[in-house]
Structures are given as C-alpha cells and as structure tokens.
C-alpha cells in the first residue's frame, strides 16, 4: 500500500498514513456537470435535426449550418473566439485528468471541482474549488503534470485567491505575453 508523509510536531520525523487506492468515482450529477457543454451541443443538434427532418427541411437546415460554419471559419476574429472557447472546454477536461493522475485529491479521493474556465491573452485560466485537505501547495506540486496534460501548454502557473484560500487558479500559458501576471 502506498503511503504519504503526515507532518508531525516540529523536530519529529513525519508519520506515514495510507493513501486512498484511487480517485473516488464521481456522482452522476457531477459527470453531467463536467460534460455539460458537450451534452447541450449533442441534445441541441439532435433536436434541430429531428425537428428539421420532421418538417421535411433537413437539407435546408444542413445548408444553413454549413454556411454558418463557413462564415465562422472565414472570419479570423470569429474563428479565434470559437477556437479559444473550444480550448477552454478541452483545458477543463485536461486539467481534471492531470489532477487525477498527479493524485491531487483529499483523503477521501475527492478531486478539486472546476468552477470556470476563461480564455485569456496567454491561454486559459481555470478556477478550482479545492476540498478540505487540498490547496495551492498540492496543485503547484502537480504543475509539471498539468502542463503535460494540457496540450500545447508552455507552462502552468498556480495562484490562489488571497481572501478565499480554497479557490485556486491554474493559468495554462500557451502564448508568451509580456508581464503576464503583473506580480
């Protein structure tokens, strides 16, 4: 069984306690929350397709969708906006996977919850709600694993909210920006 050091009184050697064998399985509501964007997209596209097919307008609906996709692909600002939102969704999944593989969880096997992922000038900003027993120190120790998990990341920087220590932000840096964090 794998063990981890537990900090004891100053001057005494650390005591070891067993780690949980694996990350705890999420509840069905947690799985739905994690895959909410993909679920809404699949349900929306399926519903539009069924309604268009029922009305006998499937070819017209497909044509409008193709024109919309071509317009987005041919307009650079729209293309960048869509690509950054897609990268936010992908980064949230990759950060969660990196946290699980780096064993960043509490004694009960609970992973930090991803609250929001935002696009930034340098890449993405992923805000985590850490359960008791997990904080910036544990997430910072896993920065290398998180960088490797996030496709194309140059490096990962971890910060915490000064007033709410359980809120930790993982900055996934994909592009160099001068004075990225300003401190």
């Amino acid at each position: 069984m794998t063990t981890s050091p537990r900090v004891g009184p100053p001057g005494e050697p650390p005591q070891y306690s067993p780690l949980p064998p694996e990350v705890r399985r999420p509840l069905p509501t947690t799985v739905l929350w994690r895959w909410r964007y993909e679920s809404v997209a699949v349900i929306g596209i399926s519903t539009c397709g069924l309604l268009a097919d029922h009305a006998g307008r499937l070819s017209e609906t497909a044509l409008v969708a193709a024109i919309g996709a071509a317009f987005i692909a041919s307009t650079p600002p729209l293309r960048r906006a869509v690509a950054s939102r897609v990268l936010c969704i992908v980064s949230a999944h990759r950060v969660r996977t990196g946290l699980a593989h780096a064993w960043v969880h509490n004694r009960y096997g609970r992973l930090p919850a991803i609250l929001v992922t935002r696009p930034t000038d340098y890449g993405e900003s992923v805000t985590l709600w850490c359960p008791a027993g997990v904080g910036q120190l544990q997430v910072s120790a896993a920065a290398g694993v998180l960088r490797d998990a996030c496709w194309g990341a140059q490096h990962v920087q971890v910060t915490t909210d000064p007033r709410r220590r359980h809120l930790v932000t993982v900055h996934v840096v994909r592009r160099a920006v001068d004075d990225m964090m300003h401190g």
Side-chain angles (χ1 to χ4, degrees):
M1 179 172 263
T2 307
T3 58
S4 71
R6 187 174 10 170
V7 178
E12 297 217 1
Q15 300 171 349
Y16 288 87
S17 64
L19 284 175
E22 59 188 25
V23 174
R24 196 165 96 181
R25 205 167 212 174
L27 295 171
T29 52
T30 304
V31 172
L32 186 61
W33 174 257
R34 290 177 179 174
W35 292 89
R36 63 192 177 275
Y37 299 116
E38 294 86 347
S39 301
V40 167
V42 166
I43 291 170
I45 291 170
S46 300
T47 302
C48 287
L50 286 174
L51 291 175
D53 186 41
H54 182 67
R57 304 230 177 235
L58 189 59
S59 59
E60 291 92 345
T61 304
L63 179 65
V64 169
I67 290 171
F71 179 70
I72 290 171
S74 65
T75 310
L78 284 176
R79 185 175 57 234
R80 280 191 292 274
V82 169
S84 68
R85 293 310 301 171
V86 168
L87 264 178
C88 284
I89 294 169
V90 170
S91 289
H93 290 297
R94 300 307 303 164
V95 166
R96 184 178 311 106
T97 300
L99 292 170
H101 285 275
W103 283 34
V104 179
H105 55 79
N106 66 5
R107 296 281 182 201
Y108 299 108
R110 186 157 316 271
L111 288 170
I114 296 177
L115 295 180
V116 66
T117 306
R118 293 183 207 95
T120 61
D121 292 338
Y122 53 83
E124 297 87 38
S125 171
V126 182
T127 303
L128 308 173
W129 178 297
C130 294
V134 178
Q136 181 189 8
L137 183 65
Q138 290 80 10
V139 178
S140 293
V145 175
L146 294 176
R147 182 198 63 230
D148 294 341
C150 295
W151 302 323
Q154 293 176 0
H155 70 276
V156 170
Q157 184 173 354
V158 180
T159 60
T160 188
D161 188 310
R163 291 181 46 210
R164 295 176 293 272
R165 306 296 281 174
H166 62 283
L167 295 180
V168 173
T169 303
V170 177
H171 303 277
V172 179
V173 179
R174 297 183 187 280
R175 297 172 289 284
V177 176
D178 294 333
D179 297 324
M180 180 187 77
M181 296 294 157
H182 301 295

